[in-house]
Amino acid sequence: MSITKSTENIDATAITAIASHLNHVVAESYGLLGQLHLAHWNVEGTDFLTLHQMFQTQYEELFVAIDDIAERVRALGHYAEGGLKKLAEMSTVPEGPSAAAAPAKDWVSSVLLAHEIVIAAAHKARVIAAEAGDAETEDLLIGRISTHQKAVWFLNSYLK
Ligand SMILES: [Fe+2]
């Protein structure tokens, strides 16, 4: 780890905590990514096309976003966590329906829960970043939270 000049105004201990929280957001986001793919592939029923496409839109956006979050960790002078086993250990996203038939609402619910978990992790990281005066990380996380909140609205609307 090295503190770069661009972040030297932020306390080193705080940067370590921010990087750790960001890595956790990456892990939870990968958990969500896995659920989105699974739902995209296996959802069935009269709403198939709508849900299949919505899940794809969400995982494509998320894949790009995860890269930004991990690269923020690097910009802070720390290293990004990665690899399926490591991220699975770190993630608290539960497995949704397995590779079997399940009602469309079950797929939506599993994805919805995963979004909520990512929001919670991003919110924790955002608070730590705000306290440390790291406005750039905070800005990144505010954007992520807004995007996930919009997805939650979509998914909740489907479940009504
Ligand atoms: Fe596909």
Side-chain angles (χ1 to χ4, degrees):
M1 164 193 54
S2 64
I3 305 303
T4 63
K5 195 163 179 61
S6 63
T7 55
E8 67 185 2
N9 59 320
I10 306 168
D11 176 71
T13 307
I15 288 183
T16 300
I18 294 164
S20 171
H21 277 80
L22 286 173
N23 273 326
H24 188 231
V25 175
V26 168
E28 300 293 24
S29 298
Y30 256 97
L32 170 60
L33 196 69
Q35 290 306 303
L36 282 166
H37 260 139
L38 199 57
H40 170 76
W41 295 324
N42 290 333
V43 71
E44 293 177 315
T46 53
D47 300 321
F48 166 77
L49 201 56
T50 303
L51 292 173
H52 177 75
Q53 287 175 339
M54 182 181 66
F55 294 142
Q56 178 171 346
T57 301
Q58 291 186 7
Y59 73 64
E60 286 178 346
E61 190 278 337
L62 184 61
F63 187 78
V64 175
I66 287 171
D67 189 46
D68 285 339
I69 301 164
E71 288 179 358
R72 181 64 191 161
V73 173
R74 297 296 293 126
L76 290 171
H78 284 254
Y79 289 95
E81 295 286 2
L84 283 181
K85 280 189 182 172
K86 178 66 182 175
L87 294 175
E89 283 169 17
M90 293 169 64
S91 173
T92 64
V93 172
E95 298 286 315
S98 58
K105 286 195 171 191
D106 289 1
W107 291 113
V108 172
S109 294
S110 78
V111 166
L112 178 57
L113 175 62
H115 273 290
E116 297 278 23
I117 289 170
V118 175
I119 289 171
H123 187 260
K124 274 187 196 165
R126 185 200 151 183
V127 169
I128 298 287
E131 285 172 357
D134 180 358
E136 290 71 26
T137 297
E138 204 187 349
D139 179 63
L140 172 67
L141 292 166
I142 287 170
R144 292 315 305 151
I145 292 167
S146 297
T147 298
H148 288 291
Q149 286 174 335
K150 187 171 180 180
V152 165
W153 162 48
F154 275 40
L155 296 162
N156 262 326
S157 298
Y158 178 81
L159 290 174
K160 284 188 176 168

